[in-house]
């Protein structure tokens, strides 16, 4: 019984490490740097200038007037809900991102 209980406790402690990393920013008018560590970066707010590193699997923006530079994992995704957001992305293998945009005046482009 003690062995089973110990195994369950160790499994529960290991679980958070197995989950995908996430970076989140909420606010307005800031200049910020985030590291998504291979997970999802989420930006909620307006008029922010944000640099995201860490080869993100996904970038999610909900807001308006944000300027974001992001390092995406190969075949990463960008999802925008809002208006007048500008996203520039890079991938290590120069693959195109999967892009889903809802709203007016949003721009997504690969860095040159």
């Amino acid at each position: 019984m003690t062995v089973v209980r110990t195994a369950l406790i160790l499994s529960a402690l290991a679980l958070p490490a197995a989950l995908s990393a996430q970076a989140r920013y909420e606010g307005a008018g800031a200049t910020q740097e985030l590291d998504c560590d291979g997970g999802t970066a989420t930006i909620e707010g307006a008029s922010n200038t944000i640099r995201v590193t860490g080869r993100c699997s996904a970038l999610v923006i909900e807001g308006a007037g944000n300027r974001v530079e992001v390092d995406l994992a190969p075949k990463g995704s960008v999802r925008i809900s809002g208006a007048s957001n500008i996203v520039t992305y890079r991938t290590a293998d120069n693959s195109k991102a999967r892009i889903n945009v809802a709203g007016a005046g949003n721009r997504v482009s690969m860095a040159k």
Side-chain angles (χ1 to χ4, degrees):
M1 183 71 159
T2 303
V3 172
V4 171
R5 187 176 311 149
T6 302
L8 288 174
I9 291 171
L10 291 175
S11 295
L13 292 174
L15 183 60
L19 298 175
S20 291
Q22 293 190 17
R24 174 177 291 276
Y25 177 79
E26 296 178 34
T31 299
Q32 187 76 27
E33 189 162 324
L34 299 175
D35 182 353
C36 67
D37 194 27
T40 299
T42 302
I43 298 165
E44 297 177 351
S47 303
N48 296 296
T49 300
I50 299 183
R51 171 83 177 112
V52 186
T53 60
R55 290 192 180 181
C56 306
S57 60
L59 171 67
V60 177
I61 299 175
E62 296 177 356
N66 296 293
R67 291 181 173 269
V68 180
E69 290 183 23
V70 61
D71 293 328
L72 288 177
K75 299 184 180 159
S77 66
V78 175
R79 183 172 58 98
I80 301 174
S81 176
S84 302
N85 295 289
I86 299 171
V87 174
T88 305
Y89 70 90
R90 285 185 173 80
T91 58
D93 66 352
N94 291 322
S95 61
K96 290 188 176 183
R98 292 171 291 152
I99 300 170
N100 183 344
V101 177
N106 294 301
R107 293 186 310 199
V108 180
S109 61
M110 183 181 283
K112 296 179 182 177

